[in-house]
């Protein structure tokens, strides 16, 4: 693998961890900084898509208001450097008056600028995203 390809793969691999760190911090502005203005976020298991920065912001604002804290732990990661795609498998703990445990997979398409252009989420259990 060339040094350029290695650097691209590293940049792609680091993007989901940085994103989940900001999600776990319940920081809407930081989370939105990972998305392109025209990005889409689809919760495939609930057949809902949020289009553009404003819809994605509203979804995260509502999601964060529903929980006191959350933790995403990436357990598996696959990078396709040629296509700019990353897949993650993660354990998720959502806390408010007890905890909700989930096991999810996310699929990220990442533009040349490092911003997410498309995110697809598969969740086990009920969709906590509105």
């Amino acid at each position: 693998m060339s040094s350029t390809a290695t650097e691209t793969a590293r940049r792609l691999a680091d993007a989901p961890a940085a994103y989940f760190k900001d999600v776990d911090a319940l920081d809407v502005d930081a989370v939105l900084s990972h998305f392109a203005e025209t990005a889409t976020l689809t919760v495939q298991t609930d057949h809902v898509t949020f289009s553009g920065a404003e819809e994605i912001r509203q979804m995260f604002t509502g999601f964060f208001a529903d929980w006191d804290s959350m933790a995403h732990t990436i357990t598996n990661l696959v990078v396709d450097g040629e296509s700019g795609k990353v897949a993650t498998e993660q354990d998720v703990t959502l806390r408010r008056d007890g905890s909700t445990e989930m096991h999810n997979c996310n699929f990220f398409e990442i533009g040349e600028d490092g911003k997410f252009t498309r995110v697809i989420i598969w969740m086990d259990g009920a969709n906590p995203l509105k």
Side-chain angles (χ1 to χ4, degrees):
M1 187 182 298
S2 73
S3 63
T4 302
T6 300
E7 183 56 37
T8 297
R10 185 175 301 120
R11 179 179 55 84
L12 292 170
D14 290 345
Y19 161 75
F20 286 127
K21 179 182 176 214
D22 292 336
V23 170
D24 292 346
L26 308 177
D27 187 336
V28 174
D29 290 330
V31 169
L32 265 287
S33 74
H34 296 278
F35 287 86
E37 281 293 315
T38 59
T40 60
L41 185 149
T42 299
V43 182
Q44 189 63 44
T45 45
D46 209 32
H47 308 290
V48 63
T49 297
F50 303 93
S51 299
E54 190 53 38
E55 283 187 16
I56 294 170
R57 175 181 293 282
Q58 289 174 357
M59 184 278 300
F60 275 107
T61 299
F63 177 49
F64 291 165
D66 289 341
W67 302 99
D68 293 328
S69 68
M70 58 188 66
H72 292 76
T73 304
I74 297 173
T75 59
N76 198 5
L77 179 104
V78 178
V79 175
D80 180 348
E82 287 186 28
S83 67
K85 294 181 180 181
V86 179
T88 61
E89 179 181 6
Q90 60 273 343
D91 292 324
V92 181
T93 302
L94 307 173
R95 290 187 184 88
R96 174 168 279 167
D97 301 326
S99 66
T100 299
E101 305 289 331
M102 301 178 78
H103 186 82
N104 299 346
C105 293
N106 285 29
F107 301 88
F108 300 89
E109 292 182 16
I110 303 173
E112 291 290 324
D113 61 356
K115 304 272 186 184
F116 302 152
T117 58
R118 182 176 182 215
V119 177
I120 300 170
I121 304 170
W122 291 81
M123 298 180 179
D124 76 348
N127 174 15
L129 308 174
K130 298 175 185 175

